[in-house]
Each structure stands twice: as structure tokens, then as C-alpha cells.
Amino acid sequence: MADNGKELLDFSYSRMDMFRTCPMKYKFRYVDKMKELPKGFFFFGSAIHSALEFLYKGDSPVFPTVEQVCSAFMEFWLSRPLSQQGFRTAEEADRKRDEGIAMLKEYYRVNKDSFKRAFLTERMFRFEIDGLLVTAISDRIDYQGDGKILITDYKTGRDIRRTPDQLYMYQKVAECNPELPELIAERLGVHVPEIKISQMLYYHVPTNKKYYFDRAGDDQIKKFWDDALATAEEMRAGRFEPSPSESNCRWCDFKAYCPVYGGSGKAPAQDTDSSGAASGTEGTGPLFYGIRSAGEETAAERQNVSLLQLLNRCGDLEERKNVIDRELKILCGRIAELNLTAGEYNTGRYTASLGMKSSWKTDSRDAVISLLREYNLYDRACTLTMSGIVALLNSSDIPVDFREKMKKLLRREEQTTVTVKKNPPPM
Ligand code: SF4
């Protein structure tokens, strides 16, 4: 419970960012504690962070060798099976693994002459500010004397884009952190009245470029924090309206439950982990379903959600199949216009067999049958087909004993057919 009598609210930059992007997505992720699918880029980033943590943590003046740093990376990589790494294919995973090793080797080469032990690495802080239970993770903190610190954030993605809010959040959390002065006193024997950020550094590992940012002014931080508190009030009030857009929804793992896409807005009841708590770091890693009250969702609702998921998948595949069939038909028509001779054509990627298939058609079915009968050739021309026999069984003028005997010779197999039609997009 916070000093103002309100419940403490779990808060972090990731949570705030997700709520501002789509409150409904935030609800699924952080209120309902639903899992997100593993993402390859998060896994890759975590593996690099883990190797850099191994490199810098500890007190020994001797740093690990580049081989040891790469082994730490591989140890992390192999700690999770391929199915949980989030890559689309084994080839993509292999490529990213090799890319990670090469990236670390280059990082080591560029920085080895200036290696310096960090004051803290990969440190998670969790403490209360203004009724919020704030969680923040720092990749690296260096103490620079006089209560000043440098915070480093290792970036492993394609670009270095960061919103000012992320910088402000780092600063607010670092300067309000009650643990930092204690840690400095404990480890360095220095008592500082307050902590101030000197600078923040974004280190782009793929290019080994450094981006320094100066400390923001107190007025900027106050404005940022007032806005953050307003967002927290919205979270508390449970205003979880969906905010659909192409960019928001494209990678959303909760579409099947989202009202915009025909879902109920409720999460399905799922297994909880033994603690019932979320695990992993904010915004990355595997996360677990939280506790739901018993009976909150009926079995029928669960079944309905799963049916919707299956039907949506059928619809998506049917749509793709139609597009592919249409394109194949057009391509076959264009190939036919080239008047090529039958045979095999090798494209390098494919070997295509070109042939000619012809079939007879008639627009005078009755006349054809009459002619066959006139020459007593009808029985010879009609081959045994199941649909012909079934039609015979359904005829009212056949002997009853024939129908019974024939039924004993046949087997009826049921196959569910599903026809899906695309709905118009939501307004
Ligand atoms: S599908 Fe779109 S609108 Fe629905 S929760 Fe996800 S991001 Fe929000």
C-alpha cells in the first residue's frame, strides 16, 4: 500500500509504453499476465547482454578472453531450445548465432584496451516512487565520484532510436533510487547525499558506435513524471480501450482475444507457474500467465475462443490459397501463350515439366446417353463411381433388398467441411 492509501501499481518504462500504444494490449499482457510469443530479436539481445555481463562483472583485474566471452554467449544460446528462441527457422537461428559471435569478437577487438570493471552490471532495481512500484534494469552503471554516475545501455538492434521518455525514465529512476547510495557506501566506503546522472550512453554493439546524452533539466523530468503519473492513473482506472492500427496490431500476439478482431476482450484461463508471478525481464524473455480467479471464464467461453482462433487460421489460409491459385492460373495462361514445346525446363531454382492435358466435354448429355443406349454401349461406357452408386441407393425405384445388400458393402466416412469467407475490415 502506498502512502496515499492507494494500492502500489507495478510500473516500468515497458508497461507505460505498451499502455500508451494500446491499453487493451497492456491489459492482456500485464493485468491478465498472458504470455507473448518468444521473439528472436529479444532472445538475441539477451544473449549479447549476458555475454557482456560476463565480461564486465567481478573484481578481478584480469578480464575473460574473447573465447570465454563467446562461450558465455553460447551457454545462454543453448539454455533455451530452438522452439523457445523465437526465430522462424533453424537457419535464421544459426545465422543470428554466428552474427552474435562475430559481433562479440569485434566488440572485444575494439574495446579490449579500455576494458574497465563496471560498478554494476545487469542490475534490476525495484522500489516505490509516488505510489508506483517501479522496476528498472540497468545494463551497466559506472560510478564517477561525487555522487555522479554514468548509465550505459547496450543496444543490439538495427538502429539506436530512443524516445526522450526512455532517457527521462533512466534519469528519474537512477536519481530517486534509494539503493544506489547504499551500494556506493557499502562497496566504495563513500557516503554521498544524493545521486546525479552525469551522462547516459547508448552503446550500439553491431557498429560499436557510442551515443552520449546529457542529463535532462529538472523541469523536463518533472513534466515527464507528471505525464507518467497521469498514465498510471489511467491504468488504475482500468481504461483498457483497444487502440488498433496497422503498426500496433501487426505483431500483437493477443489478436485472437481482442474485440477488434472478434475476440471477447477476455484472456483465456491458463496454467499458472508455481509462483503465479511474471518472470523474466520487463519486455523480454519468457513470461508466465498470472493467477485468475476460479470460474472467471467458462469452459464454453474457452472453447469458443479456441474455435475462433482455429476458424481465423482457416480463413487466413483459405485466403492465401485463393490468391496463390489465382496467380498460378494467370501464370499458366501466360506460359501457354508462349507456345512452348512439351518437356522439362530448368530455371536453376526449379525444374518445370510442361505438358498438354486434354479432356472431352459435352453440352448434350441426354443425347450422348440416348446414343449409347441405342447401341447397347451404355453399361460399357459407365465406369464404377461411388457417386453413381450413391445416387442409385437414393433412388426410390430400386429393390429394398438390393439397397440393404449394397449398404453392407459400403463404408460411410464423415469429413467436416469448413467454408470461410472474409469479413469486411472493422470501421
Ligand atoms: S490487436 Fe491491436 S487493438 Fe487489439 S490488443 Fe493488439 S494492438 Fe491492441
Side-chain angles (χ1 to χ4, degrees), residues 313-323 418-420:
R313 183 77 187 132
C314 284
D316 289 347
L317 290 176
E318 186 70 29
E319 218 178 298
R320 273 168 61 194
K321 184 168 153 275
N322 290 341
V323 170
V418 180
T419 310
V420 278

Side-chain angles (χ1 to χ4, degrees), residues 22 24-25 28 242-244 248-249 252 254-255 258 260-261:
C22 176
M24 176 62 72
K25 188 175 182 183
F28 286 132
S243 172
N248 288 353
C249 304
C252 180
F254 309 124
K255 271 200 205 110
C258 174
V260 174
Y261 290 86

Side-chain angles (χ1 to χ4, degrees), residues 221-242:
I221 295 298
K222 181 177 179 320
K223 162 92 179 61
F224 158 75
W225 193 243
D226 285 347
D227 290 347
L229 290 175
T231 301
E233 277 312 302
E234 298 271 303
M235 293 171 173
R236 275 203 174 96
R239 295 195 190 105
F240 301 133
E241 287 301 310

Side-chain angles (χ1 to χ4, degrees), residues 8-9 11-12 17 26 48 50 55 76 83 114 122-123 125 138 172 179 199 205 230 256 307 313 346-347 409:
L8 277 179
L9 179 76
F11 199 77
S12 66
D17 189 46
Y26 166 89
I48 295 283
S50 155
L55 171 62
F76 183 94
S83 59
S114 56
E122 297 293 331
R123 176 76 180 214
F125 296 104
S138 299
K172 175 76 184 174
E179 242 189 283
Q199 277 185 314
V205 187
L307 172 67
R313 183 77 187 132
N346 194 329
T347 69
L409 298 173

Side-chain angles (χ1 to χ4, degrees), residues 293-329:
S293 23
E296 195 167 326
E297 189 164 28
T298 64
E301 280 174 324
R302 277 200 300 282
Q303 197 175 12
N304 191 34
V305 168
S306 132
L307 172 67
L308 289 176
Q309 271 182 308
L310 295 172
L311 290 179
N312 278 338
R313 183 77 187 132
C314 284
D316 289 347
L317 290 176
E318 186 70 29
E319 218 178 298
R320 273 168 61 194
K321 184 168 153 275
N322 290 341
V323 170
I324 290 169
D325 284 348
R326 268 201 305 277
E327 193 172 343
L328 278 172
K329 210 167 163 188

